[in-house]
Amino acid sequence: MSDVDRRGAASGSALFFALAPGTVAGLVPWLLTGWQVGAGFAHWWPLRVLGIAVLIAGALFLVQAFARFVREGLGTPAPVAPPVHLVVGGIYRYVRNPMYVAVIATILGQSLLLWRPVLLGYAVIVAAAMVAFVIGYEQPALTSRFGAEYLAYRRAVPGWWPRLTPWHPDR
């Protein structure tokens, strides 16, 4: 892949990052809460610290997953500009859907940090929508595009709860 193609994949991934997770894990939670801390939460600082940790971990995993699409997949996570290669390295060796798990974790972290139950309900709705998308579109599309390679990966790596050890396709 040329540097121009890689820059295009990086630009497309950055745009999709801002539009999709930026909206789902950033804009909508802000619209729901205004980033205002819920009442009566000042004495629960350990949960707020946990919320910060979950939020940061989710955001870091999300960025890493997007970068993996540029480096390994030579494309973007967006269905309109899919990767050339199946992305199975990095955190994808532990869980098939790290972007979705990271977005949900980010929302849950915000809920703990801000002590806003509305974000828990929102996280459930987002998770249900993501599961429906994966089952209804993503798995069939990846099976069609990558065939046996994706089916072997799907059998070896769980979709939503990470493996304890990394999957190695050559084993």
Side-chain angles (χ1 to χ4, degrees), residues 68-145:
R68 178 69 50 185
F69 264 75
V70 175
R71 282 192 315 257
E72 182 180 337
L74 307 177
T76 77
V80 298
V84 175
H85 304 287
L86 182 63
V87 178
V88 297
I91 61 173
Y92 288 89
R93 293 175 12 167
Y94 295 89
V95 64
R96 280 195 327 269
N97 301 306
M99 287 184 201
Y100 302 136
V101 172
V103 166
I104 294 164
T106 301
I107 296 167
L108 292 174
Q110 292 170 11
S111 178
L112 288 173
L113 172 62
L114 299 174
W115 200 244
R116 297 296 297 260
V118 67
L119 291 177
L120 291 176
Y122 175 62
V124 170
I125 292 166
V126 168
M130 289 176 172
V131 169
F133 179 76
V134 166
I135 292 170
Y137 171 77
E138 195 169 85
Q139 289 178 168
L142 290 170
T143 300
S144 175
R145 185 170 179 90

Side-chain angles (χ1 to χ4, degrees), residues 5-6 20 22 31 34 41 46 53 55 57 61 66 74 76-77 87 89-90 92 106 125 139 148 165 169:
D5 293 336
R6 194 170 303 276
L31 290 171
F41 190 54
L55 179 100
F61 276 100
F66 265 78
L74 307 177
T76 77
V87 178
Y92 288 89
T106 301
I125 292 166
Q139 289 178 168
T165 60

Side-chain angles (χ1 to χ4, degrees), residues 8 15 83:
L15 177 62

